[in-house]
Amino acid sequence: NAGVMQNPRHLVRRRGQEARLRCSPMKGHSHVYWYRQLPEEGLKFMVYLQKENIIDESGMPKERFSAEFPKEGPSILRIQQVVRGDSAAYFCASSAGGDRGGNTIYFGEGSWLTVV
Amino acid sequence: SQQGEEDPQALSIQEGENATMNCSYKTSINNLQWYRQNSGRGLVHLILIRSNEREKHSGRLRVTLDTSKKSSSLLITASRAADTASYFCATVPTGGGNKLTFGTGTQLKVEL
């Protein structure tokens, strides 16, 4: 049973380019979360999605960032016109349920974005 | 200060010793989860403890939760060099779905 799969593991982009990070949740999980980790810091919540729905995007920057979790395929975190400050590790997580708050949340290995 | 702060920030011990890490939080929680992160890697889930639980064990790990003090501790007994990692607590607030709020972590180094 594969865990949370993220790709790419490492991504280098020039300023102004677009970054697309993909996440496939664990089998049977329908709840997906994205977190960002800056160097030497803890993880910060970005967005919580279910299939075709954004449940909570309170941690997403207002501009340039978007996320989706289509009916078919992986969840995508998209960063447009990247800037150096976007350099970070982006972690995807998934869980079987969401509403009751008692579900273990499993994390992927992360996607390390470097903006040069 | 933010929800879920770990103490100490860094801890260095000898193999075989016990390591204790503490976590404090601010709001009412549904549950608290501890994770381990090796350098450059993802987070590995260790233990989930619900707000109505006081203590949980898993192998060499023991987690306590004191909701009156809004604090939790993670004890690793008989530490090994392989336990060297960063350890994070993360809380799910009451009514907050599964949205985790992480602390800044404790960097544990276990020396041979």
Side-chain angles (χ1 to χ4, degrees):
Chain A
N1 188 13
V4 179
M5 304 301 291
Q6 290 187 247
N7 69 83
R9 288 294 314 281
H10 298 275
L11 182 64
V12 179
R13 283 287 178 266
R14 296 187 185 279
R15 280 178 295 172
Q17 290 185 320
E18 178 180 289
R20 281 191 179 223
L21 309 177
R22 289 175 290 278
C23 169
S24 296
M26 282 182 73
K27 187 177 181 181
H29 286 188
S30 58
H31 298 253
V32 166
Y33 316 81
W34 285 93
Y35 288 79
R36 177 166 62 177
Q37 184 178 35
L38 295 171
E40 308 301 325
E41 292 188 12
L43 278 73
K44 297 287 195 295
F45 170 80
M46 297 182 76
V47 63
Y48 165 27
L49 310 106
Q50 286 181 262
K51 288 282 186 181
E52 300 183 282
N53 279 310
I54 296 175
I55 307 302
D56 181 346
E57 56 180 348
S58 58
M60 287 281 270
K62 294 286 187 285
E63 298 176 346
R64 303 188 296 107
F65 285 71
S66 63
E68 62 176 11
F69 188 18
K71 187 176 180 181
E72 301 290 337
S75 175
I76 306 286
L77 179 66
R78 182 182 178 204
I79 311 171
Q80 296 177 288
Q81 299 174 312
V82 295
V83 301
R84 286 220 172 108
D86 296 334
S87 296
Y90 292 84
F91 289 95
C92 174
S94 73
S95 67
D99 294 342
R100 293 176 187 253
N103 295 280
T104 298
I105 299 172
Y106 296 92
F107 281 79
E109 286 289 304
S111 290
W112 266 258
L113 172 65
T114 301
V115 180
V116 297
Chain B
S1 57
Q2 58 180 331
Q3 179 88 336
E5 291 202 347
E6 286 88 343
D7 168 56
Q9 288 189 324
L11 180 62
S12 183
I13 59 174
Q14 297 293 312
E15 197 172 48
E17 293 180 335
N18 295 342
T20 300
M21 289 159 269
N22 303 297
C23 167
S24 61
Y25 57 91
K26 291 185 173 181
T27 63
S28 174
I29 63 170
N30 181 295
N31 66 71
L32 184 147
Q33 306 186 33
W34 282 92
Y35 290 84
R36 184 186 73 226
Q37 184 182 32
N38 290 86
S39 182
R41 301 297 298 274
L43 277 76
V44 174
H45 186 266
L46 298 176
I47 287 184
L48 181 154
I49 186 165
R50 291 181 169 76
S51 60
N52 60 352
E53 297 176 312
R54 292 296 167 259
E55 187 171 311
K56 278 188 95 167
H57 297 254
S58 176
R60 293 184 296 112
L61 306 180
R62 173 179 166 243
V63 167
T64 62
L65 178 65
D66 186 336
T67 53
S68 67
K69 294 181 179 178
K70 291 187 168 57
S71 67
S72 174
S73 68
L74 170 66
L75 168 68
I76 304 174
T77 60
S79 63
R80 305 166 182 168
D83 294 329
T84 295
S86 292
Y87 291 81
F88 294 92
C89 72
T91 54
V92 173
T94 303
N98 258 352
K99 177 179 167 180
L100 288 169
T101 300
F102 281 85
T104 51
T106 293
Q107 291 188 349
L108 173 65
K109 184 176 182 180
V110 181
E111 301 186 68
L112 294 169

